[in-house]
Structure formats: C-alpha cells, structure tokens
C-alpha cells in the first residue's frame, strides 16, 4: 500500500476505486471459507459483529464506482458532444 506522507497528495479517483476494490476482494478472501454463524460474535460493548465492520467497505466501494460512472457519463456528454 502506498503511504501518503504529503497530505496534499491528490489520489486520482480511478486509483482510489482500484484500491477500494482490492481491499474489498482481500476482505472477502479472508472470510470466504467461514459460515454465517462464524461471522457472528456475542454482543459486547468493545466488539462489533464482523458484518458491521465489513458493510462500510461495501458501501464505500459502491459509492466510488457510482461517482466514477457519473464522471465518465458527464465526460461523454460534455460540451461539444
């Protein structure tokens, strides 16, 4: 993973989408052999069920892909087209 030493670094949206998709695939790969029951944990104040932690990554991936699709559509229908 790339370190961002310069906080003003601008990450191209396409690269962000690639990184999020890669993280999503790695996460799914880590749990692929687990059954649903194994993803559940007792409700404790300091432990979140795995599904609660995995959901934000899925939501972020969906939003990044949607934003890239909107950007591509806008570029296709830009001025002079």
């Amino acid at each position: 993973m790339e370190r961002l030493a310069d906080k003003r670094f601008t990450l191209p949206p396409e690269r962000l989408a690639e990184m999020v998709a890669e993280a999503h695939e790695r996460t799914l790969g880590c749990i692929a052999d687990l059954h649903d029951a194994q993803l559940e944990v007792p409700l404790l104040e300091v432990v979140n069920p795995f599904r609660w932690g995995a959901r934000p990554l899925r939501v972020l991936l969906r939003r990044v892909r949607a934003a890239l699709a909107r950007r591509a559509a806008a570029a296709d229908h830009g001025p002079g087209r």
Side-chain angles (χ1 to χ4, degrees):
M1 176 164 257
E2 302 164 20
R3 293 195 82 138
L4 300 178
D6 180 359
K7 301 300 181 189
R8 295 168 294 178
F9 176 77
T10 301
L11 187 66
E14 294 79 11
R15 180 67 182 123
L16 174 61
E18 291 171 7
M19 292 170 75
V20 171
E22 179 185 336
H24 183 250
E25 291 302 317
R26 282 196 326 259
T27 300
L28 293 178
C30 289
I31 63 165
D33 61 339
L34 299 178
H35 300 287
D36 286 347
Q38 292 173 301
L39 297 175
E40 298 295 330
V41 296
L43 184 58
L44 302 173
E45 189 173 324
V46 296
V47 178
N48 290 330
F50 179 80
R51 290 180 185 180
W52 294 1
R55 186 175 185 277
L57 181 59
R58 188 171 58 243
V59 170
L60 176 62
L61 180 60
R62 184 172 53 233
R63 288 180 180 172
V64 168
R65 286 180 174 162
L68 289 173
R70 285 192 303 273
R71 177 181 277 204
D76 289 344
H77 296 90
R81 295 199 181 223

